[in-house]
Amino acid sequence: MSMTFISQMYNLFCLKKFLSTTFSDLVPFSLMSYKRRQSKLAAAAAAEQALRTEKKIVTASKNKGRAKKKSSAPVYLGMFTAKILIIGPCESGKTVLANFLSDATETSGGEYHPTQGVRILEFECNNIEVSLSRTANCEVELWDCSGDHRFSTCWPALQNDTNGVVMVYNPDQPNHDKELETWYTQFVQEQWLRDSQCLIFAHHKPMAPERVRTQVPQTLSKVPCVHTNLDEDPDSVREEFKNFLGQVLSNLTDKRDQEELSIMNN
């Protein structure tokens, strides 16, 4: 065997070994680079998806906040008309309260002038909260009714189409509490009005002498009773009356909704 042949075989062996070593080193390196590149691409895609998800959450939260803010805005139901009676025993302060609530300029100079039959005072009361997020305005017809029973023949006319009743009594007078039961029976129970359509003002006159004060009878225990004194806290009287109007208008809207539903069903 010639030296040339041996030399060629040796060179071929070295070349084969070199090539096998090079490819064995390069192939893992190439696979590793590919895997790293794929991993980076996957991480970038995941980050982009997370960013999109976060943007969607923020947008949804903003939209929800806008919707909540929009829904919390009060709904105006319109203008209503309510007929409210002020009833109670004589000399209980009905006319004084009626003049105050209606901003009437009529005064009596401190002297007592009994109402003859009835006085009707008309005024507006606005921004009444009927229910949660619902408001309305109201044209109030305030009927200041005489406490004298000799006008009882007029009671059916007074009771007609009544939406609410304010009963006034003087807790410093010993018999006023008993008279309240009569007024309640005649003007509330017999007219099928709800207790929510009724309010009691226990009206304290200025400079009234200290004495044992009467309490509301048990039969009227479910009717709200508010102690009033125009000299000490006039604002609370208006506020309580406005809250009472809210209850009256709530009953009116419920009745209207029932009538509309009945018409639709028929």
Side-chain angles (χ1 to χ4, degrees):
M1 187 179 294
S2 64
M3 292 297 295
T4 303
F5 178 75
I6 294 173
S7 177
Q8 289 177 349
M9 291 297 292
Y10 177 77
N11 291 337
L12 182 62
F13 173 77
C14 291
L15 179 61
K16 184 177 180 181
K17 185 176 182 181
F18 170 76
L19 290 175
S20 63
T21 304
T22 302
F23 279 111
S24 64
D25 291 339
L26 289 177
V27 170
F29 178 78
S30 178
L31 289 174
M32 187 179 297
S33 299
Y34 174 76
K35 289 181 179 179
R36 286 178 180 175
R37 186 165 58 252
Q38 289 298 104
S39 177
K40 288 181 179 180
L41 290 174
E48 185 178 359
Q49 182 63 31
L51 183 61
R52 289 178 181 176
T53 303
E54 185 178 358
K55 286 183 178 179
K56 288 181 180 179
I57 293 174
V58 171
T59 303
S61 179
K62 287 182 179 179
N63 293 336
K64 186 177 180 180
R66 292 193 191 102
K68 186 176 181 181
K69 186 176 181 181
K70 186 176 180 180
S71 63
S72 63
V75 177
Y76 176 63
L77 300 178
M79 175 69 78
F80 290 80
T81 300
K83 177 182 177 181
I84 307 296
L85 304 184
I86 291 190
I87 59 175
C90 295
E91 298 188 59
S92 57
K94 299 185 298 296
T95 297
V96 173
L97 287 169
N99 289 340
F100 172 76
L101 293 172
S102 62
D103 289 323
T105 56
E106 180 181 345
T107 59
S108 60
E111 298 179 3
Y112 174 66
H113 296 281
T115 300
Q116 301 300 311
V118 65
R119 298 166 59 244
I120 302 176
L121 300 95
E122 297 181 348
F123 61 97
E124 284 190 13
C125 188
N126 299 323
N127 298 320
I128 302 169
E129 185 176 349
V130 178
S131 61
L132 185 63
S133 299
R134 297 199 306 170
T135 63
N137 297 341
C138 184
E139 292 181 352
V140 181
E141 294 180 3
L142 196 60
W143 292 48
D144 175 20
C145 304
S146 172
D148 195 331
H149 283 255
R150 65 190 178 94
F151 294 106
S152 60
T153 54
C154 302
W155 286 359
L158 302 180
Q159 295 163 347
N160 188 42
D161 294 330
T162 297
N163 303 119
V165 172
V166 176
M167 294 189 295
V168 182
Y169 82 104
N170 185 347
D172 297 318
Q173 296 295 328
N175 296 323
H176 275 197
D177 57 332
K178 296 178 182 178
E179 288 192 52
L180 276 184
E181 292 188 82
T182 301
W183 292 100
Y184 179 73
T185 301
Q186 293 290 330
F187 285 84
V188 179
Q189 289 184 328
E190 292 190 4
Q191 301 306 310
W192 298 98
L193 296 179
R194 302 175 182 176
D195 286 340
S196 59
Q197 295 173 267
C198 185
L199 176 66
I200 299 174
F201 277 156
H203 186 58
H204 300 270
K205 294 185 177 181
M207 307 300 293
E210 290 293 333
R211 64 181 68 181
V212 178
R213 292 174 174 172
T214 59
Q215 301 295 323
V216 174
Q218 186 63 30
T219 53
L220 281 74
S221 60
K222 294 183 179 180
V223 179
C225 180
V226 179
H227 288 263
T228 61
N229 190 317
L230 296 182
D231 287 345
E232 295 181 2
D233 194 3
D235 292 337
S236 67
V237 179
R238 291 190 190 277
E239 190 65 26
E240 292 292 344
F241 182 75
K242 191 173 182 178
N243 293 338
F244 167 66
L245 283 179
Q247 292 293 326
V248 171
L249 296 188
S250 178
N251 282 291
L252 282 176
T253 56
D254 290 345
K255 184 178 179 180
R256 183 184 64 182
D257 293 343
Q258 290 175 1
E259 290 175 351
E260 291 177 353
L261 184 61
S262 177
I263 293 173
M264 292 176 61
N265 291 334
N266 294 334

